[in-house]
Amino acid sequence: LIDVVARYGGDIIKFCGDAVMILWPCDMDASQGVQQANAMQAAECALVMLRECGEYDVGKGQEAVSLRLHCGIGCGPMYGYCVGTEDRWEFLVAGDPMRQIGEAEPEATQGQVIVSPEVWDLIGRTFLGTKTPKGNWLLRDHKVDHSPIDSLRPGAS
């Protein structure tokens, strides 16, 4: 999983139990194209993580560990804070993307990527998806045709 995130340029911010928080940061005044490229990298990374790391099984009996991936993706301005005391510090991430993820991730079942409407606005020209009953989008795959925004993806011609 860490290798896939690195391949797609994401920064792992925190492991939270069996969850992982990954960011694709950019400047607050980044162009729409940079924001789209980051959202596309996050979406592609999530799809690849499901394909390559979607099922994790180790151990046997009472020592068995079995994990199944699903993903929720949000976007927008975020803020990072170091909070705590001299004995314990935490890195806290806040901003509207956390709300979006909080609404998208619970809708995702095993093997699914759910993106917020804000993310869909950035990637909808490039990916296939289905609107969920709660207004998010179930990400399916890339569109067959190549829109101009594809040129922002690494390796695109």
Side-chain angles (χ1 to χ4, degrees):
L1 186 127
I2 294 169
D3 290 341
V4 173
V5 173
R7 207 177 328 154
Y8 285 88
D11 292 333
I12 295 177
I13 300 302
K14 184 180 282 197
F15 286 94
C16 314
D18 64 354
V20 61
M21 183 183 300
I22 306 165
L23 299 180
W24 277 261
C26 63
D27 291 334
M28 293 288 269
D29 60 349
S31 71
Q32 183 80 357
V34 168
Q35 293 174 43
Q36 286 174 316
N38 278 2
M40 288 189 295
Q41 287 292 93
E44 180 64 25
C45 182
L47 291 172
V48 171
M49 281 193 303
L50 291 176
R51 280 195 300 272
E52 295 183 12
C53 316
E55 297 183 1
Y56 178 79
D57 297 298
V58 294
K60 294 185 183 197
Q62 289 187 333
E63 309 227 347
V65 174
S66 180
L67 298 174
R68 301 294 182 259
L69 289 181
H70 64 278
C71 302
I73 303 176
C75 67
M78 295 188 72
Y79 306 92
Y81 305 95
C82 289
V83 296
T85 66
E86 63 186 60
D87 294 333
R88 177 158 167 87
W89 288 91
E90 281 286 329
F91 184 65
L92 174 70
V93 179
D96 192 53
M98 298 308 295
R99 176 198 56 80
Q100 296 169 35
I101 293 166
E103 293 172 0
E105 184 272 334
E107 268 197 287
T109 60
Q110 177 183 327
Q112 291 184 333
V113 177
I114 302 287
V115 302
S116 70
E118 293 85 349
V119 172
W120 187 254
D121 287 346
L122 292 171
I123 69 170
R125 291 179 50 201
T126 307
F127 287 85
L128 298 171
T130 305
K131 195 168 190 174
T132 69
K134 294 184 178 179
N136 292 303
W137 289 84
L138 172 61
L139 195 61
R140 297 276 184 212
D141 208 343
H142 293 98
K143 288 186 177 177
V144 176
D145 65 322
H146 298 282
S147 61
I149 202 68
D150 282 346
S151 63
L152 294 173
R153 290 191 17 247
S157 54

